[in-house]
Amino acid sequence: MPVLHLEPIHPRTRKSEILAFCHKAGDIDGRQIGLIELQGGQVSIEIPERWEARLINALDGAQFQHHRVRAWATGGETDGTGEENHFQRLARLLNLESDAEAQQASENLERLSPQEAEKTGNTLIDLAIDEEHSGLGGRFILTLVKKNRSVSLPWTRLSVGAPVLLSAQGDSDNSVRGVICEKRQRFIRVAINEMTEEDVQTWRIDRSNDEVARQRQQSALGRVQSARGDRLAELRRIMLGERPPSFSELKDFQPLSPSLNPSQLEAIEHALSARDFALIHGPPGTGKTTVVIELIRHAVLRGEKVLASAPSNLAVDNILERLLASGEKAVRLGHPARILQELREYSLDFLVEKNEHRLLAKDLRREAMLLQRKAQKFHRAKPVPGSRKDLWDQINAIRDDARQLERQAIENVLDSADILLATTTGLDSEILGQRQFDLAVIDEACQSTEPGCWIPILRSRRVVLAGDHCQLPPTVVSREAEDEGFGRSLFERLIDTCGSDVTRRLTTQYRMHAAIQDFSSMEFYDAELEADEAVRDHLLCELAGVEQKSLTQQPVHFIDTAGAGYEEEIEPNGESRLNPQEAELVTEKVRELLDAGLPPSDIAVITPYSAQVRLLRQTIKEDGLEIDSVDGFQGREKEAVVISLVRSNSDGEIGFLRDIRRMNVALTRARRKLIVIGDSATLSAHPFYTSLFDYFDDINAYHTVWEEK
């Protein structure tokens, strides 16, 4: 039986209202309709197959609850061979991923002790409320610290924007949903919609699976799959390789920024000429976001409406900040807690609150409230016949007027902006309605699974994806989904399918000393990367206050621990790995950098294993010095980076270090100084690491651990 999908639908809509809408707009017998499910802002309705086309034609674009709804159907169609098609497969894998996330969250609560759960990085325990205040559109903001206030927060995967459950420790049955809005070394802030119990002494935070994001992705896949005879159907065929993408001739292109290099200019021209889609491949430090900003500005000059998105809130905020600096007018969509504090005045919530229609709506709602109180007083005295009904009719009419004014306020703000920004899964159909865009730009596209990218694509006539498939792929929790390729991004699929026809690579990098760059350039980027003159030979010793010594005068330093007995260990009561002796050596090197005059804020320690992160944070206590996992440091950079590889065993087991993209990220975070510490005997079991150690030897950066003593 096909399933009809409608959105946006208010979550409190009654099924009888939905039936009445289908009957009136589609002229169908409501008795033939099957199961109706309402989740979030979407409703799913089982319908007879013979009514599918008629209902979609009748309901798509029809007015319901002050919105024009979108309608599409899914129904188990196959590709004609009985095999599931591309989008059905993605939908199935998305459900596997959602189930795995829910199971992981459940295990954190039920199977693991609080201490073990905290070690996973998805939980924080032993918290106390340090401060509470209102903000972010009437929400409550709780500042939580460790009960032992002298203790810093441990390493955690709970980043700003993450959905979480806040509960009294030991009572997970009564939890409150919230969003992380700020995280520092000693505190974390959570935005919640309802106030908590006052007598709770000890709190716990657990990562929560984002069911709304999953629903939006499933909705997007369904709409793309069912699209017929429109631009979305055309883009689907092109992006599945059923016909080639096309490009137009770009005339009289004049860059807005005078500092763009030739590869950047070529990428921008290529993207502007794309009629369907284009890819911008941005290796580390090559100014990918600079190119994205220039592209968006040119599109606006053409009179186009642009939808800019990225998988993470931080990446979206980075685009917004750069656009504002260039003088562009943009509106940020999304939960205010997920937006950097200094950018919240550009959020939809903030701008709507200042809109004159919103102010009028507030007055009307106050009037309705006063009338409601008057109506309720009729319970104590016999009213004039018909007066109570008249009063409630008046109240409902005023509230309808208020809702229309509020909607108009949103429309005014959205219409005034040339550029809208949101995360890929943060695009709310209830807010955007049927709004379409001339161009969708998806930055950091390789960090998103394919379903997430289709959410902005289905609202746009053409799309440009920017990213680097040679760095970390999307995070996938489900092993089954990972094995079936769910971690392969849309960017990677398209670059494999179309290659150079649709892709332009940026080739000049502005971050790293040439010796830090060269190995990754050869291994991942066809030896095309070139260091800009400003960074090609820069060293730590050239920084103000840094001493001239061997450690600061050489850009790369590898310390081989092979044969020294630096054996890895499995963390007690955990699954992650650590290497205590290697951690001691890391600490020594960090101390040498600090003693040479390098500020702690210019140093980062990176390691693939969370247990090693925790150990190093206990060992190295310098304010401003960052210690994090490779995954947590993607997109970041520091003057000096120390990498602890951890793995050291007689079996040559290297675990997920086999994913060489993880090492590409780690090796390209340093500007002037890269120190790598690891066991060559263990890691050389993989040819990538053999090549890496040979490279270190070739540039005279190879040292044994005994040389360091």
Side-chain angles (χ1 to χ4, degrees):
M1 198 174 193
V3 178
L4 176 72
H5 305 279
L6 302 174
E7 68 173 16
I9 303 294
H10 194 280
R12 295 182 180 177
T13 302
R14 295 189 296 273
K15 292 182 180 180
S16 59
E17 294 176 285
I18 296 167
L19 277 172
F21 173 61
C22 293
H23 176 71
K24 182 179 179 180
D27 191 27
I28 64 168
D29 186 351
R31 292 173 297 180
Q32 299 298 313
I33 288 180
L35 183 67
I36 299 176
E37 291 186 349
L38 186 62
Q39 290 185 326
Q42 184 188 127
V43 67
S44 302
I45 312 167
E46 291 182 345
I47 58 172
E49 189 171 353
R50 66 183 184 277
W51 288 350
E52 180 181 336
R54 187 173 76 183
L55 276 172
I56 292 174
N57 289 333
L59 301 182
D60 192 40
Q63 191 84 11
F64 182 60
Q65 299 176 328
H66 310 293
H67 298 286
R68 292 194 178 276
V69 300
R70 296 177 180 272
W72 72 98
T74 55
E77 300 94 343
T78 66
D79 62 4
T81 65
E83 299 291 331
E84 61 181 358
N85 64 34
H86 180 71
F87 296 99
Q88 289 172 327
R89 173 179 162 275
L90 288 176
R92 177 174 58 80
L93 297 180
L94 179 60
N95 283 334
L96 286 175
E97 177 68 2
S98 179
D99 292 344
E101 289 176 350
Q103 183 178 353
Q104 184 183 75
S106 176
E107 287 180 350
N108 272 3
L109 289 170
E110 299 173 6
R111 183 178 65 84
L112 302 178
S113 69
Q115 292 73 25
E116 291 169 339
E118 189 171 61
K119 288 179 180 179
T120 68
N122 296 309
T123 297
L124 288 172
I125 63 170
D126 298 331
L127 300 172
I129 295 177
D130 186 59
E131 181 183 312
E132 50 188 275
H133 64 273
S134 61
L136 302 178
R139 298 172 178 87
F140 295 100
I141 311 297
L142 302 181
T143 302
L144 296 110
V145 299
K146 283 287 188 177
K147 290 193 73 175
N148 180 355
R149 295 171 185 260
S150 64
V151 176
S152 300
L153 296 179
W155 172 83
T156 176
R157 304 179 193 274
L158 299 174
S159 57
V160 173
V164 294
L165 294 175
L166 178 68
S167 60
Q169 196 158 309
D171 185 20
S172 58
D173 292 334
N174 297 308
S175 57
V176 177
R177 290 193 173 274
V179 175
I180 303 294
C181 55
E182 190 176 353
K183 185 178 74 172
R184 294 287 186 267
Q185 189 173 7
R186 292 191 177 272
F187 70 83
I188 191 164
R189 288 198 172 109
V190 183
I192 58 176
N193 292 327
E194 55 191 271
M195 201 53 194
T196 58
E197 297 290 336
E198 296 182 358
D199 59 347
V200 176
Q201 299 299 312
T202 307
W203 295 92
R204 163 177 179 153
I205 297 174
D206 292 275
R207 176 182 283 276
S208 171
N209 58 321
D210 195 340
E211 190 60 22
V212 173
R214 185 193 67 82
Q215 290 170 5
R216 287 172 180 167
Q217 291 176 85
Q218 289 287 16
S219 170
L221 293 174
R223 286 194 57 213
V224 175
Q225 179 183 332
S226 62
R228 300 288 186 274
D230 57 7
R231 178 56 176 161
L232 179 57
E234 190 175 14
L235 276 176
R236 180 190 64 213
R237 289 192 294 271
I238 295 169
M239 300 180 87
L240 287 177
E242 295 175 7
R243 76 172 182 81
S246 61
F247 295 83
S248 59
E249 184 180 352
L250 191 65
K251 297 180 180 179
D252 303 322
F253 172 75
Q254 296 294 326
L256 299 172
S257 173
S259 60
L260 296 169
N261 64 55
S263 70
Q264 291 174 329
L265 288 169
E266 184 183 1
I268 294 163
E269 290 185 69
H270 176 69
L272 287 170
S273 69
R275 289 196 176 105
D276 307 301
F277 75 90
L279 308 180
I280 297 173
H281 182 192
T286 54
K288 171 174 58 60
T289 304
T290 298
V291 171
V292 166
I293 299 303
E294 180 85 3
L295 168 64
I296 293 172
R297 294 181 68 196
H298 275 281
V300 171
L301 280 177
R302 288 178 169 184
E304 296 181 339
K305 293 289 187 180
V306 180
L307 176 60
S309 64
S312 72
N313 285 283
L314 189 61
V316 175
D317 287 343
N318 184 34
I319 298 172
L320 175 58
E321 196 168 34
R322 301 276 293 274
L323 285 171
L324 294 172
S326 66
E328 299 296 336
K329 192 173 183 180
V331 174
R332 174 72 154 91
L333 309 181
H335 194 302
R338 294 183 164 111
I339 303 171
L340 290 175
Q341 187 170 354
E342 57 268 30
L343 298 175
R344 286 173 187 162
E345 63 181 288
Y346 303 98
S347 69
L348 179 63
D349 288 49
F350 186 91
L351 295 169
V352 165
E353 284 297 315
K354 298 195 304 179
N355 186 270
E356 60 181 4
H357 289 90
R358 171 61 174 161
L359 297 175
L360 288 171
K362 282 185 173 180
D363 291 339
L364 287 176
R365 290 196 178 278
R366 280 194 290 268
E367 183 181 346
M369 180 60 69
L370 292 172
L371 289 173
Q372 182 176 336
R373 290 172 181 170
K374 183 178 178 181
Q376 290 168 339
K377 290 180 180 178
F378 286 152
H379 289 292
R380 303 185 185 95
K382 187 176 180 180
V384 177
S387 60
R388 189 165 181 264
K389 180 181 182 303
D390 291 343
L391 197 54
W392 277 107
D393 287 344
Q394 187 180 352
I395 292 168
N396 290 330
I398 293 172
R399 285 173 173 169
D400 284 343
D401 289 342
R403 280 193 291 270
Q404 291 190 33
L405 284 169
E406 287 165 345
R407 183 65 206 177
Q408 189 58 55
I410 293 173
E411 292 293 330
N412 287 353
V413 173
L414 295 179
D415 288 342
S416 68
D418 296 318
I419 310 159
L420 296 184
L421 300 101
T423 60
T424 50
T425 57
L427 293 166
D428 189 342
S429 293
E430 191 167 348
I431 291 173
L432 291 174
Q434 300 216 51
R435 190 175 298 270
Q436 292 288 306
F437 299 84
D438 301 294
L439 171 66
V441 178
I442 306 175
D443 197 14
E444 305 295 354
C446 297
Q447 295 180 37
S448 170
T449 58
E450 183 168 338
C453 285
W454 280 105
I455 298 175
I457 292 173
L458 60 81
R459 290 185 174 274
S460 307
R461 293 198 58 77
R462 69 186 197 283
V463 61
V464 174
L465 295 94
D468 182 10
H469 58 296
C470 300
Q471 297 189 61
L472 285 173
T475 300
V476 177
V477 175
S478 168
R479 179 64 62 86
E480 185 177 352
E482 176 72 33
D483 292 343
E484 289 197 48
F486 193 58
R488 188 189 189 205
S489 67
L490 176 62
F491 185 104
E492 187 173 4
R493 180 170 70 75
L494 291 175
I495 206 169
D496 288 344
T497 303
C498 304
S500 60
D501 291 342
V502 299
T503 309
R504 294 295 182 271
R505 177 186 286 165
L506 309 180
T507 56
T508 301
Q509 65 85 13
Y510 300 87
R511 176 186 299 167
M512 298 166 278
H513 188 288
I516 300 174
Q517 159 211 277
D518 283 348
F519 178 77
S520 285
S521 178
M522 293 183 293
E523 194 71 25
F524 296 97
Y525 307 111
D526 305 312
E528 290 185 355
L529 284 191
E530 295 182 0
D532 184 74
E533 185 177 351
V535 303
R536 186 179 298 133
D537 300 312
H538 66 180
L539 298 166
L540 282 184
C541 60
E542 297 170 357
L543 294 172
V546 177
E547 296 178 10
Q548 298 262 356
K549 54 195 325 181
S550 176
L551 190 67
T552 63
Q553 292 176 318
Q554 298 296 322
V556 181
H557 197 92
F558 170 64
I559 305 173
D560 190 357
T561 65
Y566 286 22
E567 293 290 315
E568 65 185 70
E569 301 174 7
I570 298 178
E571 186 179 38
N573 302 316
E575 298 179 354
S576 187
R577 296 177 185 269
L578 68 160
N579 193 316
Q581 289 177 288
E582 189 170 289
E584 290 178 10
L585 185 54
V586 168
T587 304
E588 289 176 18
K589 292 297 128 183
V590 168
R591 179 51 54 192
E592 287 182 36
L593 291 169
L594 293 170
D595 291 344
L598 192 64
S601 59
D602 283 340
I603 305 172
V605 178
I606 304 175
T607 180
Y609 291 91
S610 58
Q612 190 79 341
V613 171
R614 286 188 284 272
L615 176 60
L616 287 165
R617 286 185 173 183
Q618 294 169 6
T619 307
I620 306 172
K621 298 184 182 292
E622 291 285 343
D623 289 340
L625 190 151
E626 292 190 61
I627 304 171
D628 211 337
S629 65
V630 179
D631 300 56
F633 217 78
Q634 179 156 311
R636 309 278 311 285
E637 59 187 67
K638 290 286 184 178
E639 297 292 354
V641 171
V642 184
I643 302 173
S644 172
L645 296 176
V646 176
R647 300 308 298 259
S648 179
N649 56 75
S650 57
D651 300 322
E653 293 290 335
I654 64 173
F656 58 68
L657 287 184
R658 288 190 179 87
D659 187 346
I660 59 176
R661 292 172 295 183
R662 179 167 277 103
M663 277 308 301
N664 185 35
V665 172
L667 293 169
T668 54
R669 300 306 97 193
R671 300 188 191 113
R672 300 169 187 260
K673 181 69 180 186
L674 173 66
I675 302 175
V676 182
I677 302 174
D679 184 339
S680 68
T682 297
L683 294 163
S684 291
H686 194 290
F688 171 86
Y689 294 96
T690 299
S691 299
L692 177 63
F693 302 143
D694 287 344
Y695 172 74
F696 289 150
D697 199 21
D698 290 342
I699 63 171
N700 297 316
Y702 180 93
H703 305 269
T704 69
V705 68
W706 291 281
E707 295 176 58
E708 305 298 315
K709 296 181 178 180

